Amino acid sequence: MKKFYEQLTDKQPWQGLFMGNHAVARAMLEAGVKVITSYPGSPTPEIAEALNSVPQEMRDFHFEWATNEKVATEIAFGSSINGNMSVVFFKSVGLNVAADSLVQLGLLNLTGGLVVILGDDPGANSSQNEQDNRHFARMSYIPVMEPATPSEAYKMFLEAAKLSKKHQMPIILRLTTHVCHAKELITFGAIGESKVFKSEFDIKNGHYLPITKTVFPLKKKAMEKLDLIKKESERSPFNRVYAPFDCEEINGKKLGIISSSMPALSVMENIDNSGNAVDLLQINFSYPLPETMIADYLKEKDEVIIIEELDRIMEYEIKSLAFDRNIKCRILTRKTHDDIMGELTSERTWDILSGHWPEVFESGIKPVTQPFANPRIPQMCPGCGHRSAFHAIKQALPKGTITVGDIGCHSLGFFEPYNMGEMLLSMGHSNGTAAGLTIGNEKRKVLAFIGDSTFFHAGLPAIINAVLYDHDFTLVIMENGTTAMTGHQPHAGSGEIGEKISIDKLLESIGVKFIRRVDTYQQSKLTEYIKESLDHKGFSVVIASHPCMLKFMKQQRRKEGFVQKHVEIDQNKCKRHLTCIEDFGCPSFVKNENGSITVNEDLCIGDGSCRPTCPVSAIDFKKEAR
Amino acid sequence: MKDLNIYMCGVGGQGIGLLAEAMLRACHKAGYDVKGVDTHGLAQRGGTVISHLRIGKKIHTPLIPSGKANIVIALERLEGARAASEMLIEGGKVIFYDAQYQTIGNRLGKFKYPTLDELEKSVKAKKGESVRVFEEELSDPRMQNIVIIKKMIELEWIPGLSVKIVSEALAELMHVKTLEKNLELIKQ
Ligand SMILES: Cc1ncc(C[n+]2csc(CCOP(=O)(O)OP(=O)(O)O)c2C)c(N)n1
Ligand code: SF4
Ligand code: SF4
């Protein structure tokens, strides 16, 4: 059978089951994209997984994991003004980091074209918020396309690339979590002749230096481009009516629904199930809004419900155009704050629709839920070095210590049984926040965490600040050699891209006076270092290091002759202190009905990091029978 | 055939991704129109991991509405019980691999881990049926998903899901060596 990359790079048209993210990667190859950059974040990292599956010698594109989203955006910008079709992609909140550069893109002539792929996350499945990035597009004069399915994501990318090149402007392809990860049969086109990399930057292609008064002609141009794009959205096949039943009046009224992207699919299911003559105007090429198309639709109807996910953006724009054009159609919308939150699944959509039109949506996808207690909160993996770190650090903290969390697998330290890392804003916030917590604070110690990928991503500026002012807190760098939470991507300190950049040397060179490094499995030493560092007056750093064990075990299992080790608990020694369960908290431990503690061998990786935590040394490596 | 909603679940790390991908491809090979979607990201760290598979001509969204799953395939008992109460449709079917992975709430004594009876009860409450699968001698816990696929073939809940088709699907997803090991188990 064909390898994944062989499918992905097949020059001929073909059909296959593909995930949205992978389909978009294929579309990039068909569109002749030359430069692609990103920083990892759910729900988009599988785009990179697909691109990286292509062997280096077969690539006619350049892919790069940048240090953060802003750098990624700037690289894509640079290559685009050199004449190369370019792409940058990242998760929803990645846009906040990229924003300072991204908001400028709409003003400039991007000669090669540039598509920005956003992975928004309604429902906050894997994010610290569910921000609606359609706002950003409006703020920065960038058109938006919002596919509902993987097939449409593929087609829309091709269209976005074409329009972007034609109008020399950025286009946002806004994916959401369940479009990224949905899978279906997709028909792909051919991949044409490979294009060469260009280096055609010419200042004559535009003015590229917006400052004071020069901003205005650029801004005007951006708005004129948007006017042109609006004509495209007015006639786009991505904006269309779904009408499974012949249109007729219901109770003397003509009823319609306007929706976009995935929620529109929920609406379709509800219309199908209702069997009633309601139709849907689906607006997936959503900014600039095709106003004439929408006005014509409204004029046909007596009542229209607007179903959009997250914020009220289409709603306000549609109401305003109806007002301006004096359209009499009654516009109904979501009613509650709850409706502004989370994904609009088909059952939630039913709720909204039947709330307005109970006689139309009487049967159908009624929400049927019997909530089940006992949540399964994510936990750090068996053997995770972060767990040993939390356990050891906890022993060292005086009462009242404030612990500042950051983003990564170690954010899970907030949950029981560790309860460490008590606040979170964004990647790299911990040092700034910790500094703020120390000001005028003579009473309580402050300790901050940060992951190693985050250290490079957005951690450094606040660390430099802490050095300059010698803010009195301890930073623990949770080093595991990878960007673990998002699927083990490389970073500046992992040594997989170019030469490894040493965190220790960086810290020394900027003048950090207290630096200690320890493997987290050496728990008593880590405890000691933390005590020392908290006693140190001023800024101090402890690098708590251990390789990510999920990644490590995957590599080990692939090796010839690998034998899985385990630990066991000596039932004669065990005094039921329950430290292993209640404090250390490895998920491999099982608490039995009779109160005894055993080890679940499906989960245990036999690393032994739990052994030092048992006060009566009842945990030991199992003498494997094999 | 009527549309079928197949809801798969388990605990992060159990290999539900492979189960879901194999089922998606097998159903496609059996001639069905398929749509699916998996959990990625945060929940993969030991949380509840789910995958939706919908087969039929008139399906728009890949997400199964709550309480509309015709078939639940669980890789773990508690997750099977959760899916039975939250997702199963009246008269639906549950197959679960009886791996038992306690939650932190279980270990701290805040919740009780469900017994087999309790799982049965929640399935019965929906007038459904359940099938327990467990393989005492399984050498590698990461093959639990294969054991459950094998049972799915035997049960014939999805017409056309055959050893041949499943083998073809698996062949697209793994190296020859792993494939041989897995096929041996399926053909036993
Ligand atoms: C601005 C931004 N970009 C990306 C992400 C996605 N993200 C969440 S956790 C994480 C990994 C951080 O890696 P690291 O700091 O090394 O911690 P680890 O997960 O390895 O413990 C990333 C990139 C995010 N939340 N915010
Ligand atoms: S993926 Fe790695 S860093 Fe993350 S919890 Fe698992 S072992 Fe720890
Ligand atoms: S040896 Fe097993 S029980 Fe102990 S920490 Fe590692 S995985 Fe957990």
Side-chain angles (χ1 to χ4, degrees):
Chain A
M1 86 102 208
K2 269 198 176 160
K3 292 213 172 76
F4 177 78
Y5 80 83
E6 290 170 332
Q7 280 192 319
L8 189 77
T9 55
D10 193 338
K11 301 257 184 237
Q12 303 305 317
W14 58 281
Q15 211 184 35
L17 286 172
F18 247 45
M19 175 205 296
N21 279 338
H22 293 170
V24 167
R26 163 74 187 192
M28 288 182 202
L29 305 188
E30 288 183 25
V33 175
K34 297 304 291 180
V35 175
I36 305 146
T37 57
S38 181
Y39 180 78
S42 293
T44 55
E46 296 81 11
I47 299 177
E49 170 190 276
L51 296 169
N52 273 332
S53 75
V54 183
Q56 205 68 42
E57 63 278 7
M58 284 183 60
R59 293 186 194 181
D60 62 357
F61 60 87
H62 172 85
F63 171 73
E64 180 165 327
W65 282 125
T67 320
N68 67 29
E69 291 87 352
K70 181 165 179 282
V71 178
T73 303
E74 289 147 2
I75 296 170
F77 167 65
S79 76
S80 174
I81 57 173
N82 238 350
N84 299 301
M85 174 57 76
S86 306
V87 172
V88 59
F89 66 90
F90 38 72
K91 75 178 279 133
S92 54
V93 291
L95 184 49
N96 305 332
V97 176
D100 208 9
S101 287
L102 195 124
V103 289
Q104 297 301 98
L105 295 180
L107 304 182
L108 307 170
N109 276 342
L110 308 179
T111 47
L114 198 165
V115 180
V116 180
I117 302 177
L118 294 180
D120 273 11
D121 191 13
N125 298 284
S126 286
S127 314
Q128 65 265 36
N129 69 19
E130 53 168 9
Q131 70 184 52
D132 191 331
N133 280 330
R134 295 176 300 165
H135 290 294
F136 255 112
R138 282 149 174 89
M139 188 172 101
S140 45
Y141 312 102
I142 305 180
V144 184
M145 293 186 169
E146 301 181 72
T149 63
S151 302
E152 201 173 42
Y154 158 77
K155 287 182 205 149
M156 272 192 166
F157 180 88
L158 293 176
E159 182 65 14
K162 214 170 79 192
L163 287 177
S164 170
K165 174 93 190 151
K166 181 173 157 194
H167 298 282
Q168 305 195 343
M169 73 190 301
I171 308 258
I172 290 176
L173 184 70
R174 177 179 180 260
L175 309 177
T176 51
T177 299
H178 287 125
V179 177
C180 287
H181 296 146
K183 296 181 280 193
E184 64 181 6
L185 194 66
I186 307 180
T187 309
F188 295 108
I191 296 180
E193 279 307 301
S194 175
K195 296 193 175 82
V196 291
F197 283 99
K198 293 181 183 161
S199 43
E200 296 174 351
F201 172 73
D202 189 339
I203 198 161
K204 288 195 214 95
N205 288 331
H207 187 73
Y208 287 104
L209 212 123
I211 187 160
T212 62
K213 279 195 179 116
T214 64
V215 168
F216 300 112
L218 297 179
K219 182 168 170 180
K220 191 164 181 201
K221 187 84 182 287
M223 291 189 283
E224 284 164 3
K225 281 182 184 175
L226 273 185
D227 291 342
L228 293 175
I229 293 284
K230 188 164 166 180
K231 288 188 183 140
E232 309 271 3
S233 88
E234 291 282 6
R235 56 170 181 259
S236 169
F238 297 120
N239 297 334
R240 57 186 181 262
V241 173
Y242 175 79
F245 309 110
D246 284 338
C247 191
E248 58 190 53
E249 293 183 355
I250 299 176
N251 297 340
K253 282 187 210 149
K254 283 194 174 149
L255 306 179
I257 300 166
I258 300 180
S259 186
S260 74
S261 64
M262 228 177 157
L265 303 181
S266 300
V267 172
M268 289 178 194
E269 294 232 343
N270 277 295
I271 294 179
D272 286 4
N273 280 314
S274 78
N276 279 322
V278 186
D279 59 20
L280 159 76
L281 176 61
Q282 188 184 10
I283 306 290
N284 290 1
F285 190 161
S286 64
Y287 184 70
L289 218 52
E291 290 186 353
T292 311
M293 181 189 265
I294 291 171
D296 291 347
Y297 184 78
L298 293 177
K299 281 180 210 156
E300 292 278 304
K301 304 289 178 195
D302 298 300
E303 280 181 15
V304 163
I305 303 181
I306 296 172
I307 299 285
E308 70 185 313
E309 203 163 63
L310 302 182
D311 296 347
R312 301 179 190 275
I313 294 177
M314 259 193 353
E315 175 185 327
Y316 291 159
E317 290 179 4
I318 292 175
K319 279 178 175 167
S320 126
L321 77 88
F323 179 82
D324 288 346
R325 293 171 199 226
N326 206 9
I327 297 171
K328 292 283 169 283
C329 173
R330 193 159 166 242
I331 295 172
L332 306 166
T333 60
R334 297 170 295 165
K335 290 175 187 166
T336 66
H337 289 334
D338 279 348
D339 294 340
I340 311 295
M341 299 192 279
E343 283 180 279
L344 285 190
T345 54
S346 41
E347 63 270 36
R348 292 190 61 209
T349 306
W350 179 89
D351 239 358
I352 300 167
L353 294 172
S354 67
H356 286 297
W357 299 330
E359 68 286 359
V360 182
F361 293 96
E362 45 184 1
S363 58
I365 314 171
K366 276 194 200 111
V368 189
T369 37
Q370 268 137 320
F372 184 86
N374 199 349
R376 192 178 292 278
I377 298 158
Q379 304 172 67
M380 288 168 278
C381 304
C384 176
H386 295 339
R387 171 176 296 106
S388 293
F390 284 123
H391 188 67
I393 292 167
K394 205 166 191 177
Q395 324 296 320
L397 300 186
K399 216 170 160 275
T401 304
I402 306 173
T403 56
V404 185
D406 209 290
I407 294 196
C409 284
H410 51 89
S411 308
L412 298 171
F414 173 71
F415 296 121
E416 283 181 296
Y418 322 102
N419 306 111
M420 268 196 274
E422 301 162 286
M423 72 228 55
L424 183 67
L425 290 175
S426 61
M427 274 185 82
H429 88 105
S430 63
N431 285 283
T433 303
L437 285 161
T438 63
I439 294 170
N441 167 12
E442 298 293 325
K443 292 200 192 104
R444 300 172 72 183
K445 297 279 184 196
V446 178
L447 181 126
F449 294 98
I450 198 168
D452 46 358
S453 190
T454 309
F455 172 85
F456 294 103
H457 171 280
L460 275 170
I463 292 175
I464 291 172
N465 198 74
V467 175
L468 275 181
Y469 288 89
D470 205 21
H471 284 304
D472 188 13
F473 69 93
T474 295
L475 169 65
V476 182
I477 301 179
M478 302 289 259
E479 183 189 69
N480 58 6
T482 187
T483 316
M485 175 63 96
T486 44
H488 308 108
Q489 293 83 5
H491 63 63
S494 73
E496 293 150 289
I497 323 165
E499 205 169 312
K500 173 175 169 160
I501 295 177
S502 157
I503 293 180
D504 310 59
K505 281 192 192 150
L506 250 171
L507 294 173
E508 278 166 31
S509 68
I510 58 176
V512 181
K513 296 198 189 73
F514 185 107
I515 307 172
R516 297 287 181 276
R517 163 177 283 281
V518 59
D519 186 289
T520 64
Y521 279 16
Q522 292 182 274
Q523 291 195 26
S524 47
K525 201 163 164 193
L526 175 54
T527 308
E528 201 183 298
Y529 281 166
I530 296 291
K531 282 185 184 155
E532 236 186 278
S533 68
L534 290 173
D535 286 341
H536 175 88
K537 192 89 192 111
F539 183 57
S540 56
V541 178
V542 177
I543 304 169
S545 183
H546 197 81
C548 164
M549 292 308 276
L550 183 62
K551 186 177 175 200
F552 177 77
M553 289 311 293
K554 267 191 195 146
Q555 290 162 344
Q556 293 306 103
R557 285 197 190 97
R558 277 193 219 115
K559 290 190 180 157
E560 200 62 45
F562 167 79
V563 183
Q564 181 65 67
K565 289 202 291 177
H566 302 291
V567 295
E568 61 184 351
I569 295 177
D570 185 335
Q571 298 299 328
N572 295 320
K573 279 192 190 167
C574 175
K575 292 280 175 296
R576 312 241 166 123
H577 287 286
L578 304 183
T579 313
C580 55
I581 287 216
E582 292 181 357
D583 301 321
F584 185 65
C586 175
S588 308
F589 293 114
V590 181
K591 189 172 186 186
N592 300 298
E593 289 274 312
N594 63 8
S596 68
I597 308 299
T598 49
V599 174
N600 181 340
E601 295 198 353
D602 284 7
L603 297 172
C604 174
I605 61 166
D607 55 276
S609 61
C610 50
R611 290 174 59 230
T613 66
C614 178
V616 293
S617 303
I619 311 172
D620 208 346
F621 292 110
K622 189 177 174 185
K623 313 254 175 322
E624 302 291 334
R626 274 161 283 158
Chain B
M1 199 188 76
K2 274 202 348 207
D3 297 348
L4 261 191
N5 293 330
I6 303 160
Y7 182 83
M8 291 167 267
C9 57
V11 178
Q14 273 195 301
I16 189 154
L18 179 73
L19 170 72
E21 193 67 36
M23 288 297 294
L24 178 87
R25 285 168 189 250
C27 289
H28 170 64
K29 285 175 196 294
Y32 298 111
D33 288 343
V34 292
K35 281 194 191 336
V37 68
D38 302 338
T39 325
H40 293 245
L42 178 66
Q44 284 177 307
R45 302 279 167 271
T48 301
V49 177
I50 54 185
S51 176
H52 302 244
L53 169 59
R54 307 187 72 190
I55 61 187
K57 293 253 175 254
K58 270 187 64 181
I59 282 159
H60 299 286
T61 156
L63 292 168
I64 302 170
S66 51
K68 302 283 181 194
N70 305 92
I71 297 175
V72 165
I73 307 178
L75 286 175
E76 195 269 349
R77 187 197 291 177
L78 188 149
E79 294 311 320
R82 188 195 310 282
S85 52
E86 291 182 351
M87 292 304 293
L88 195 67
I89 200 167
E90 257 209 11
K93 295 167 176 165
V94 177
I95 177 173
F96 65 102
Y97 191 91
D98 202 8
Q100 295 165 45
Y101 296 170
Q102 294 184 336
T103 63
I104 178 91
N106 292 137
R107 287 193 291 273
L108 296 181
K110 295 186 178 167
F111 294 101
K112 246 183 92 252
Y113 191 86
T115 61
L116 281 175
D117 272 354
E118 283 159 355
L119 194 155
E120 270 301 307
K121 244 190 231 154
S122 50
V123 178
K124 289 250 168 66
K126 299 232 176 137
K127 304 189 182 66
E129 70 174 275
S130 69
V131 176
R132 175 182 182 266
V133 182
F134 191 74
E135 185 84 41
E136 199 67 58
E137 299 293 303
L138 197 64
S139 62
D140 185 345
R142 281 164 304 132
M143 284 168 78
Q144 292 164 349
N145 46 19
I146 303 295
V147 179
I148 216 157
I149 293 178
K150 176 184 156 89
K151 190 72 188 177
M152 279 299 292
I153 300 172
E154 287 167 21
L155 287 170
E156 296 182 351
W157 287 351
I158 303 174
L161 192 76
S162 64
V163 171
K164 179 172 170 291
I165 274 177
V166 167
S167 310
E168 281 173 25
L170 289 176
E172 295 177 1
L173 296 172
M174 48 186 67
H175 295 292
V176 183
K177 262 206 189 138
T178 331
L179 179 68
E180 276 170 13
K181 233 172 89 182
N182 287 334
L183 290 186
E184 200 181 303
L185 187 71
I186 285 188
K187 289 176 180 162
Q188 250 171 36

